[in-house]
Amino acid sequence: MDVQLQKWKKEYGDIHTIWFGDRAIVTLHDIPTILETFVKDGETYAGRPHQKWDDIIREGNNGVVFSEGPKWRENRRFALHVFRNFGLGRNIMQERVLVEVNSLITDIKDEILNGKQEISIHDTIDISVGSIINNLTFGYRYGKDKKDEFQHVKQFSTTLVSQFSNPMYRLMDRDPEYYKKFPICNSYYKYFTAEVQKIKDFFYNLINEHRKAINLESDEDPTDFVEAYLRQQHKLKMEGGVKENENNFDDAQLYATVLDLWVAGQETTSNTLAWVCAYLIQYPEVQQNLHKELDEVIGNDRIITLDDKSNLNYVNAVIAETQRYCNLATANLFHRVTKDTKIHGYNIPVDTIITHQVSTVLMNEKYFPEPEKFRPERFLDENGKFFQPPELIPFGVGKRACLGEGLARLELYLFTANIANQFKLNYPTEKKDFAKRLLKGSAVPSPYLCKIQNRF
Ligand code: HEM
């Protein structure tokens, strides 16, 4: 998809319209225009086109990824506020990420001790990242006894993301209730709604269990998102005056937000970390430079934390270059223009579907010379200090930029620095088609094994 977008950009320029089925999408590719529109005039570009399937998946205009209007605004602000609180003072965020980093290191060391020659580091990362998001939303991790639970939610998340590019899903999105009257559409409808029902039952059940376990009368600080949400619901109820149809903090909204945090936060981060490891293997000189920096700055097997971040310039550069090069979001989410506007003299009427194309920006040779080369040094200045240019926008920009950016950055840093410090990664014996780039909603490395050695 990103390769095709790249070709169209070359052929039709930095602003053009592409057709997605019968939907026209205005697409922006250059940074000055993207900043002028999505950032400076953020409100105009903050809408999302309504997806009919969402009436089934998210029970209407709910959640934070596809909702819009006051409900989206209040809930996005609330989620950011909760996440920020977790990152401050008690620093619950870093603690929870480090629990998983430690657990991953122990698991890999055990495998090495047990004589295992080659491992799937992506699988190990996958459950660690899933555990972090689950711990932040529901307050518990997927320890050894909960691996099946992780697989269950993961399987649903993968199904949901992959349906996005399924032509049947796209066709029926115009009106699933109408299309289900036709033979083939009918079996797809049955299959998909049954999948949705499974995950709804699962998340609603967890929410209800949580509700029973919390004493809402106490004024303890919440330690997970669902608890914070339930306390907010209680507070609004106690203050009175929330009318049924004006309640932006109802249970459907909570369910859909939990679903969104899980789906948007798990695969993205896990896949990026799998790319980090794959590139360290494919570019051994980069891995060597990384080890050199870690030996000079850290120099032993202690756990690396945020306190070390400003001294680990090369680690930061490797992460930045991985995010640019793996180009995860091959096609960015669609936005909806909320009022009539103009871009470079072109009329853009209200309700036009529009997006800024993250993937073509990250591969633009004007911003990143020789973009097809993996070169972390491009993010180091003449003094070897890490810097982040404004064109590096893997999380999108504007009012709808990634809500989990802070958490994702924390995870990318703590996992990359600690995995690289503890281990040396190498190709497996069979390295044919190693970590090929597959497009499954986002860019995923094909399953790969790696040889792994302790460094201490
Ligand atoms: C490396 C990891 C990640 C990348 C590359 C990434 C990238 C993105 C991008 C490109 C968007 C769309 C921006 C737009 O609509 O223009 C987005 C939206 C979003 N992301 Fe992420 N993301 C990552 C991790 C996370 C995490 C960890 C979470 C949550 C825990 C998260 C939650 C969200 C949400 C809720 C939205 C929708 C925001 C809204 O519409 O208001 N993401 N992300």
Side-chain angles (χ1 to χ4, degrees):
M1 182 72 186
D2 49 339
V3 176
Q4 186 58 50
L5 290 168
Q6 200 80 5
K7 275 193 197 146
W8 285 332
K9 181 189 117 46
K10 286 207 170 112
E11 203 170 336
Y12 301 109
D14 284 336
I15 306 178
H16 59 255
T17 301
I18 57 173
W19 289 86
F20 207 76
D22 63 348
R23 281 177 149 182
I25 324 287
V26 175
T27 316
L28 310 183
H29 300 270
D30 72 302
I31 280 292
T33 312
I34 291 172
L35 297 181
E36 198 61 37
T37 51
F38 279 79
V39 177
K40 281 207 184 133
D41 189 15
E43 278 303 328
T44 306
Y45 298 86
R48 288 272 193 229
H50 180 62
Q51 308 195 107
K52 284 265 175 74
W53 275 118
D54 258 353
D55 295 339
I56 294 167
I57 303 169
R58 293 177 176 80
E59 303 179 356
N61 181 39
N62 290 312
V64 270
V65 178
F66 296 109
S67 58
E68 50 169 24
K71 200 166 202 181
W72 161 73
R73 201 179 318 279
E74 276 190 45
N75 276 279
R76 180 176 162 110
R77 200 181 303 135
F78 179 76
L80 281 169
H81 170 77
V82 173
F83 275 28
R84 212 167 287 136
N85 274 353
F86 288 170
L88 297 170
R90 296 167 293 163
N91 211 345
I92 291 180
M93 284 283 198
Q94 172 162 244
E95 277 167 28
R96 292 202 180 161
V97 177
L98 283 178
V99 166
E100 298 307 328
V101 167
N102 270 308
S103 165
L104 175 135
I105 292 172
T106 311
D107 285 354
I108 295 179
K109 288 195 166 178
D110 282 350
E111 301 224 43
I112 296 174
L113 209 63
N114 292 333
K116 197 144 184 204
Q117 300 286 318
E118 297 181 352
I119 66 159
S120 164
I121 198 154
H122 193 170
D123 285 352
T124 319
I125 289 169
D126 214 30
I127 191 163
S128 306
V129 172
S131 248
I132 292 167
I133 198 75
N134 206 62
N135 209 348
L136 284 170
T137 46
F138 287 108
Y140 66 89
R141 49 189 302 267
Y142 299 122
K144 287 209 165 57
D145 55 326
K146 290 215 183 292
K147 283 195 172 155
D148 289 350
E149 185 178 323
F150 166 74
Q151 292 304 345
H152 177 70
V153 192
K154 172 81 187 179
Q155 182 261 325
F156 176 76
S157 166
T158 312
T159 306
L160 193 63
V161 174
S162 63
Q163 294 314 299
F164 232 67
S165 47
N166 182 330
M168 190 60 95
Y169 178 97
R170 285 277 151 212
L171 170 81
M172 290 181 67
D173 190 36
R174 290 180 211 172
D175 191 350
E177 297 304 327
Y178 170 76
Y179 276 92
K180 77 176 184 194
K181 292 176 191 145
F182 299 97
I184 298 171
C185 297
N186 179 264
S187 25
Y188 181 79
Y189 183 92
K190 276 195 190 140
Y191 152 76
F192 189 61
T193 49
E195 286 295 301
V196 170
Q197 195 53 49
K198 274 191 238 163
I199 201 71
K200 270 191 200 173
D201 291 347
F202 179 78
F203 277 141
Y204 269 114
N205 187 30
L206 281 186
I207 291 169
N208 288 333
E209 277 177 19
H210 224 53
R211 185 175 270 127
K212 279 189 223 145
I214 296 167
N215 174 8
L216 292 171
E217 302 304 331
S218 78
D219 55 2
E220 280 165 46
D221 283 337
T223 54
D224 61 67
F225 180 79
V226 174
E227 183 185 348
Y229 204 97
L230 294 172
R231 289 193 183 281
Q232 172 76 357
Q233 280 186 331
H234 184 69
K235 183 172 149 246
L236 291 174
K237 198 167 140 204
M238 290 297 108
E239 285 168 2
V242 180
K243 293 186 196 127
E244 192 56 40
N245 58 354
E246 285 174 12
N247 184 3
N248 287 337
F249 288 87
D250 54 18
D251 278 8
Q253 174 61 25
L254 173 55
Y255 145 73
T257 302
V258 167
L259 171 72
D260 280 351
L261 292 177
W262 215 100
V263 174
Q266 200 275 338
E267 227 169 78
T268 44
T269 316
S270 168
N271 288 342
T272 307
L273 284 166
W275 282 120
V276 169
C277 296
Y279 296 151
L280 292 184
I281 294 168
Q282 287 170 321
Y283 301 93
E285 67 290 356
V286 171
Q287 191 172 171
Q288 262 170 27
N289 290 342
L290 200 56
H291 286 155
K292 187 165 171 279
E293 176 177 82
L294 289 163
D295 289 341
E296 282 166 15
V297 179
I298 310 292
N300 58 43
D301 67 348
R302 75 165 168 84
I303 287 296
I304 298 171
T305 70
L306 275 180
D307 291 341
D308 303 299
K309 193 165 191 268
S310 59
N311 296 321
L312 294 173
N313 291 294
Y314 201 76
V315 170
N316 290 310
V318 167
I319 295 167
E321 180 65 342
T322 298
Q323 286 208 274
R324 188 196 69 78
Y325 193 74
C326 81
N327 217 349
L328 203 76
T330 49
N332 195 10
L333 297 178
F334 300 152
H335 294 229
R336 184 182 66 82
V337 168
T338 56
K339 64 174 174 35
D340 289 349
T341 188
K342 276 187 183 225
I343 305 178
H344 293 200
Y346 295 109
N347 286 325
I348 310 285
V350 62
D351 291 341
T352 299
I353 308 179
I354 189 162
T355 194
H356 56 290
Q357 215 51 271
V358 169
S359 65
T360 53
V361 171
L362 298 181
M363 280 290 159
N364 189 331
E365 62 219 1
K366 219 166 39 180
Y367 310 134
F368 304 101
E370 301 190 295
E372 68 297 340
K373 292 200 171 144
F374 183 78
R375 226 177 41 210
E377 290 73 17
R378 67 173 88 237
F379 297 112
L380 297 175
D381 69 13
E382 60 279 10
N383 301 316
K385 277 259 165 237
F386 171 68
F387 71 94
Q388 225 173 301
E391 294 84 11
L392 185 67
I393 54 162
F395 297 100
V397 294
K399 299 262 178 223
R400 304 222 55 145
C402 180
L403 183 150
E405 178 172 345
L407 171 61
R409 285 191 187 283
L410 182 67
E411 293 177 84
L412 294 181
Y413 163 71
L414 291 174
F415 276 95
T416 302
N418 281 297
I419 290 175
N421 193 39
Q422 297 287 339
F423 304 111
K424 185 169 185 305
L425 307 178
N426 281 308
Y427 275 116
T429 315
E430 178 52 74
K431 63 179 192 185
K432 189 167 167 275
D433 290 337
F434 178 82
K436 272 178 68 177
R437 192 162 190 270
L438 306 178
L439 299 182
K440 291 187 175 174
S442 64
V444 190
S446 62
Y448 68 88
L449 293 174
C450 63
K451 280 199 181 123
I452 193 155
Q453 289 165 275
N454 285 318
R455 291 216 312 130
F456 297 96

